[in-house]
């Protein structure tokens, strides 16, 4: 039968080539004001080029992408450029008591009114 040849991942070649992707990304990020590094829309094209570069280098070394080594490299780049970016979590608070009571009572009163109306109409089937 036909023999299938499999290429083994050359991790050392990949690790040798990945820093070029990081250097290229670093050069592109110099064009962006560091105050805007947390705004993805400011550098999305640069980041896309960076990820394509890491994928290309991994594939050239016969490695799948992503893999633990490229993930570690990408994490290092994230720490270098985006360590000061935090997600602002919304802190939810209950509305004031007056509003909360109103929001609860309106559906309760509507339900009671509808039940009363149904019972009243069912007792008056002589009209229907």
């Amino acid at each position: 039968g036909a023999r299938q040849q499999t290429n083994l991942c050359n991790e050392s070649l990949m690790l040798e080539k990945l820093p070029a992707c990081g250097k290229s990304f670093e050069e592109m990020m110099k064009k962006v004001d560091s105050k805007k590094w947390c705004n993805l829309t400011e550098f999305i094209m640069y980041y896309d080029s960076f990820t394509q570069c890491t994928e290309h280098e991994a594939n050239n070394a016969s490695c799948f992408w992503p893999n633990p080594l490229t993930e570690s490299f990408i994490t290092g780049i994230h720490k270098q450029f985006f360590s000061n970016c935090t997600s602002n979590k919304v802190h939810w608070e209950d509305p004031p008591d007056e509003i909360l009571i109103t929001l609860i009572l309106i559906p309760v009163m509507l339900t009671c009114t509808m039940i009363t109306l149904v019972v009243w109409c069912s007792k008056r089937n002589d009209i229907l």
Side-chain angles (χ1 to χ4, degrees), residues 19-82:
C21 298
K23 185 70 174 163
S24 175
F25 182 68
E26 187 176 337
E27 291 299 316
M28 290 184 279
M29 287 299 284
K30 286 181 181 177
K31 299 174 187 175
V32 179
D33 182 7
S34 62
K35 295 173 186 167
K36 297 181 180 181
W37 283 1
C38 296
N39 184 354
L40 187 61
T41 58
E42 295 289 331
F43 61 88
I44 187 68
M45 292 180 65
Y46 303 148
Y47 192 81
D48 182 54
S49 295
F50 168 67
T51 54
Q52 286 182 15
C53 180
T54 60
E55 183 175 6
H56 177 76
E57 294 304 340
N59 290 335
N60 279 349
S62 300
C63 301
F64 63 91
W65 186 93
N67 61 57
L69 293 174
T70 57
E71 287 177 357
S72 176
F73 179 76
I74 292 169
T75 300
I77 294 294
H78 279 224
K79 286 179 183 175
Q80 179 181 351
F81 288 97
F82 313 121

Side-chain angles (χ1 to χ4, degrees), residues 12-22 53 57 60-61 73:
S12 58
L13 175 63
M14 183 182 63
L15 288 174
E16 180 182 312
K17 299 290 184 176
L18 284 178
C21 298
C53 180
E57 294 304 340
N60 279 349
F73 179 76

